[in-house]
Amino acid sequence: MISAYTGTAVQAAEKPLLEAGVDLMARAAYGLANAVLWRLRTSGRVYGSSVALLIGPGNNGADALYAGELLSRRGVRTTAVLGSERVHGPAFAAFQAAGGTVVRLAERGVRDSASLVAQADLVVDGLLGTGARGGLRDAVADLVAALCEIGGLQVIACDLPSGVNADTGEVSGVVLSAIETVTFGGIKAGLLLPPGEGFAGDISYVDLDLSLPAAALERLDQDDLLRHWPRPGRSDHKYSRGVLGVVAGSTAYPGAAQLALHGALAAGTAMIRYLGPATLRAGGLPPEVVPGASTVAANRVQAWLVGPGVSDDAEQERRCLDAINSGLPVLADAGALPLLPERVGPQVVITPHAGELAALLSRRGHPTVRADVERSALEHARLAAQLTGATVLLKGATIVVVSPQGEVHSQSEGTPWLATAGSGDVLAGILGALLAAGVAPPLAAAMAASVHGRAGVLASGGGPMTASGIAEAVPQVLRELFEGID
Ligand SMILES: NC(=O)C1=CN([C@@H]2O[C@H](COP(=O)(O)OP(=O)(O)OC[C@H]3O[C@@H](n4cnc5c(N)ncnc54)[C@H](OP(=O)(O)O)[C@@H]3O)[C@@H](O)[C@H]2O)[C@@H](O)CC1
Ligand SMILES: Nc1ncnc2c1ncn2[C@@H]1O[C@H](COP(=O)(O)OP(=O)(O)O)[C@@H](O)[C@H]1O
Ligand SMILES: [K+]
């Protein structure tokens, strides 16, 4: 499990150590310098290579300056570009004493400074850290905009990419995309949330031995999947493993039902009862799927998956609603989202993409558009969980899961190739499989997101794939997970 924290929580945890005189900054700078040295070494040489350091007024700039000091002493040509008048005095003195070159943005100007920085082998972003209020401003923002326009820079972010909110992942103004973020004392939640994660690159963690509070966000890793993924035992039979009822598809959208069913079967559901239009039941179902009784109440299942491909079909909509109201664990997706009652119980999971979440919030008196959700994903997912009482899985490159109790998970194992029609239906199938097997909603949502992402990567292999291909890859992802156990 990867745990992440708010910037404020990390700062509070640092306080007692700082008061006891522990030089946390030296440890942070050492970790940052090592990351830079490793990158330089793997791309050629250390001695004589060049590193540009973008320096802000606070401790984040100080970390970068102390790292610059260490790099200078290893024979790296270091140039610090000071973004503001204010700079951490002792760190600045140490950097100069080690032979680092200093350029002041105010004197050199944006254009000249940008071309100087762009010539460096590596750039360290030490402009703003956890003390940032809002994004980069004035000439510093212009400098970063100019660097973004030049493009192709190898940037290592100090603690977090400047302009990314440490707590929420929200991005203000221009931000330099990093290949790596070296973060100190605790992984900041904003590095694992959209859109911030998109700027962070690989995350390296420098442990400062802090006593941290409960995590603000958790991310499952391979061990968690292995620990929690349901597997049949000797005494199991197809009913005891959990039966999933599926209400999906309509005459207009038969494919969504197929993909949701395929996803659920691939994720290990032993028994599915399907409720849908006669045309679909007659010909197109996978042979493993059992046609269910016509009403929700007449079907004995452990969980429901409702909504994929449900559109303009009163009978299907009635079934979705009945399943949502059944009290059983239920995943409501796509066509079931507009049917969601005002309040539901915590056994309900909803899986909107940003556009669907915006529509859901707007229907509940919070006028929202897709761009609002994309800008502050956590805030909107949280609001939806509070308003509906459901666990919310917000889809995207980084998937955010928020439970009605406020627990937050995020997963991002996927690939942009997953953005293909029907991909979400397969995710719904995987999540339905976990709910039927009795996995608690927030954990089931995070596990489904993780396995869906992994299956996407496997199916894609770096190129395009279909939604069916994602489902086909799921058993292989699980086989690799289970390899070596039992
Ligand atoms: N605590 C520790 O011991 C450890 C902390 N560590 C490091 O410290 C970092 C946090 O340091 P920090 O608190 O100094 O905050 P930081 O982000 O550098 O900048 C704040 C300064 O920027 C200014 N400012 C704010 N917003 C701005 C904006 N939008 N545009 C322009 N300026 C803006 C603000 O000025 P103000 O507006 O208040 O006048 C203030 O001067 C943390 O990320 C980690 O790297 C590690 O060394 C481990 C030990
Ligand atoms: N850029 C991206 N990178 C990684 N995964 C993505 C990206 N865009 C979308 N996805 C994933 O692809 C799926 C798309 O689901 P959805 O929008 O419901 O599509 P559909 O309705 O066509 O099935 C979700 O699991 C989402 O998290
Ligand atoms: K930074």
Side-chain angles (χ1 to χ4, degrees):
M1 178 91 76
I2 299 166
S3 298
Y5 305 86
T6 62
T8 335
V10 176
Q11 282 179 328
E14 284 164 349
K15 216 162 166 250
L17 292 184
L18 292 175
E19 281 166 5
V22 180
D23 193 353
L24 295 178
M25 205 174 265
R27 288 165 63 177
Y30 180 75
L32 176 59
N34 270 336
V36 172
L37 286 170
W38 188 85
R39 292 267 170 190
L40 291 174
R41 218 173 279 132
T42 49
S43 64
R45 68 208 156 97
V46 170
Y47 191 86
S49 60
S50 58
V51 170
L53 308 141
L54 308 179
I55 304 298
N59 290 342
N60 194 253
D63 290 338
L65 283 169
Y66 280 125
E69 176 202 4
L70 296 170
L71 293 169
S72 301
R73 297 198 188 285
R74 297 293 293 267
V76 177
R77 287 184 289 122
T78 52
T79 304
V81 178
L82 305 189
S84 63
E85 291 298 308
R86 254 185 315 144
V87 63
H88 188 281
F92 184 55
F95 176 74
Q96 282 196 305
T101 304
V102 176
V103 167
R104 291 173 199 277
L105 179 61
E107 289 166 11
R108 192 71 172 250
V110 168
R111 193 185 280 263
D112 258 20
S113 302
S115 52
L116 188 77
V117 170
Q119 283 162 31
D121 296 317
L122 251 167
V123 179
V124 172
D125 168 8
L127 288 167
L128 290 174
T130 50
R133 280 185 303 277
L136 299 167
R137 297 192 289 253
D138 310 325
V140 182
D142 295 339
L143 171 66
V144 168
L147 292 172
C148 290
E149 206 176 307
I150 292 168
L153 304 184
Q154 302 282 298
V155 178
I156 296 192
C158 173
D159 206 21
L160 70 159
S162 304
V164 170
N165 183 301
D167 300 354
T168 64
E170 286 169 46
V171 165
S172 312
V174 282
V175 176
L176 269 179
S177 251
I179 50 167
E180 179 176 350
T181 294
V182 183
T183 195
F184 315 122
I187 297 175
K188 313 302 176 296
L191 298 173
L192 302 184
L193 285 166
E197 181 165 21
F199 294 88
D202 298 337
I203 294 170
S204 311
Y205 172 54
V206 178
D207 195 352
L208 299 179
D209 299 317
L210 308 181
S211 294
L212 291 161
L217 175 154
E218 286 179 336
R219 175 167 289 187
L220 305 182
D221 59 21
Q222 177 123 340
D223 288 345
D224 301 309
L225 285 183
L226 184 58
R227 188 170 323 118
H228 298 293
W229 197 277
R231 294 191 292 280
R234 271 183 74 80
S235 57
D236 268 315
H237 50 76
K238 65 177 181 281
Y239 297 114
S240 66
R241 291 180 59 197
V243 181
L244 177 66
V246 175
V247 180
S250 52
T251 327
Y253 300 107
Q258 296 285 0
L259 290 164
L261 292 169
H262 196 169
L265 289 168
T269 308
M271 176 81 172
I272 298 179
R273 299 188 198 279
Y274 172 73
L275 284 67
T279 43
L280 253 162
R281 276 182 287 130
L285 294 182
E288 298 85 355
V289 172
V290 177
S294 157
T295 64
V296 159
N299 288 277
R300 204 164 149 207
V301 300
Q302 273 63 55
W304 287 99
L305 183 182
V306 301
V310 170
S311 167
D312 204 19
D313 181 329
E315 197 178 7
Q316 284 290 71
E317 289 176 2
R318 176 78 252 158
R319 291 171 177 143
C320 289
L321 199 52
D322 287 347
I324 292 169
N325 289 326
S326 69
L328 289 170
V330 55
L331 162 54
D333 183 42
L337 293 172
L339 310 172
L340 206 69
E342 201 56 30
R343 292 286 301 174
V344 293
Q347 77 285 359
V348 176
V349 184
I350 58 174
T351 49
H353 56 59
E356 288 169 333
L357 187 64
L360 184 144
L361 292 173
S362 299
R363 282 193 297 274
R364 281 169 164 71
H366 295 264
T368 310
V369 294
R370 176 185 263 271
D372 298 328
V373 176
E374 287 170 346
R375 198 176 309 117
S376 34
L378 176 63
E379 179 193 338
H380 288 92
R382 224 176 224 156
L383 179 60
Q386 279 163 6
L387 291 174
T388 61
T391 290
V392 177
L393 179 156
L394 173 58
K395 291 184 270 199
T398 297
I399 290 183
V400 181
V401 177
V402 182
S403 77
Q405 290 78 30
E407 297 162 76
V408 182
H409 279 86
S410 84
Q411 299 296 140
S412 103
E413 289 88 339
T415 155
W417 291 107
L418 276 166
T420 183
S423 175
D425 304 322
V426 175
L427 173 67
I430 301 171
L431 179 41
L434 290 167
L435 292 178
V439 180
L443 179 62
M447 292 211 299
S450 172
V451 164
H452 181 259
R454 288 163 192 260
V457 169
L458 191 64
S460 154
M465 86 298 206
T466 59
S468 302
I470 305 167
E472 278 154 27
V474 168
Q476 182 59 22
V477 168
L478 296 177
R479 269 193 290 276
E480 285 173 16
L481 186 66
F482 301 151
E483 216 166 36
I485 60 157
D486 285 343

